[in-house]
């Protein structure tokens, strides 16, 4: 999955953003970087959770080819975060499934257009390698940076899902965006 060459956020130099399979060392870094409420940022901290299930999925299937998948995001040779895609359904799963994507970037790499590029690349990958007609993103109604990133990545706002996510001791509204396969 090659970089698209676009410069975003006023940056003069385009960054070579690549998606690649996750390694055990990547998982170690994700655990270190995203541990605690300050690591992942205010919209991704859900409390402490065990990493055993993710490590087992890495050992069993490389975190690929299932209903919950993950790739590492790198700029050149530098690991900067991860993207995930999860199967969702709007009706019967065997006929009405789609992918929902998510991203987590390390704090020092946010705000540089990397998230936009990584999410765009993931959508292209999913449309090229799966039967999905739809890819969706849900983000906190206050997460302006992610809202801008997904619009730049080609998503369209569909609506608000009220009090859909429990985080930090309160319910939070989510906004849902979608990208559809083009003929």
């Amino acid at each position: 999955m090659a970089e698209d060459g676009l410069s975003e956020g006023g940056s003069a130099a385009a960054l070579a953003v690549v998606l690649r399979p996750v390694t055990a060392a990547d998982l170690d870094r994700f655990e270190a970087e995203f541990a605690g409420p300050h690591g992942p940022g205010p919209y991704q901290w859900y409390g402490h959770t065990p990493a055993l299930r993710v490590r087992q999925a890495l050992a069993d299937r490389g975190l690929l080819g299932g209903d919950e998948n993950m790739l590492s995001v790198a700029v050149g040779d530098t690991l900067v975060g991860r993207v995930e895609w999860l199967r969702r359904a709007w009706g019967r799963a065997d006929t009405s499934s789609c992918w929902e994507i998510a991203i987590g970037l390390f704090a020092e790499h946010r705000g540089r257009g990397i998230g936009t590029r990584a999410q765009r690349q993931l959508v292209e990958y999913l449309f090229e390698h799966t039967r999905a007609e739809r890819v969706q993103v849900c983000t906190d109604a206050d997460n302006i940076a992610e809202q801008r990133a997904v619009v730049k990545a080609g998503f369209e706002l569909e609506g608000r899902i009220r009090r859909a996510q429990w985080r930090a001791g309160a319910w939070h509204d989510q906004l849902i965006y979608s990208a559809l396969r083009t003929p």
Side-chain angles (χ1 to χ4, degrees):
M1 288 167 264
E3 165 54 26
D4 59 15
L6 298 177
S7 176
E8 297 180 38
S11 172
L15 302 172
V17 176
V18 295
L19 305 181
R20 62 167 176 75
V22 175
T23 67
D26 293 347
L27 285 184
D28 293 340
R29 179 86 188 276
F30 297 152
E31 287 176 19
E33 290 283 339
F34 296 139
H38 302 294
Y43 305 109
Q44 296 177 331
W45 174 246
Y46 304 100
H48 295 288
T49 57
L52 295 175
R53 187 175 59 84
V54 174
R55 289 198 179 275
Q56 189 62 52
L58 178 65
D60 291 346
R61 57 183 179 79
L63 288 169
L64 298 168
D67 289 343
E68 297 179 3
N69 306 279
M70 185 185 300
L71 288 170
S72 292
V73 179
V75 175
D77 293 330
T78 303
L79 178 67
V80 300
R82 66 185 182 209
V83 290
E84 299 175 70
W85 64 104
L86 309 109
R87 187 172 307 280
R88 299 290 190 241
W90 294 95
R92 292 184 158 207
D94 57 344
T95 60
S96 301
S97 67
C98 65
W99 294 112
E100 184 168 303
I101 68 170
I103 189 165
L105 295 178
F106 305 147
E108 67 270 21
H109 299 287
R110 296 178 194 146
R112 298 173 37 200
I114 296 168
T116 298
R117 293 177 190 166
Q119 290 174 103
R120 183 183 305 132
Q121 287 180 31
L122 182 55
V123 169
E124 291 169 0
Y125 176 82
L126 292 171
F127 284 149
E128 185 174 331
H129 296 285
T130 73
R131 293 182 48 219
E133 179 67 16
R134 169 191 177 85
V135 176
Q136 65 187 36
V137 171
C138 288
T139 190
D140 193 279
D142 294 332
N143 191 347
I144 304 303
E146 175 64 352
Q147 293 168 39
R148 288 180 181 146
V150 298
V151 168
K152 287 180 185 176
F155 286 82
E156 184 176 319
L157 177 64
E158 291 187 337
R160 178 179 295 261
I161 307 168
R162 299 180 306 150
R163 294 191 216 165
Q165 185 181 88
W166 177 260
R167 188 186 72 255
W171 287 101
H172 299 268
D173 288 1
Q174 299 292 292
L175 300 180
I176 187 166
Y177 292 78
S178 69
L180 302 178
R181 181 184 298 271
T182 54

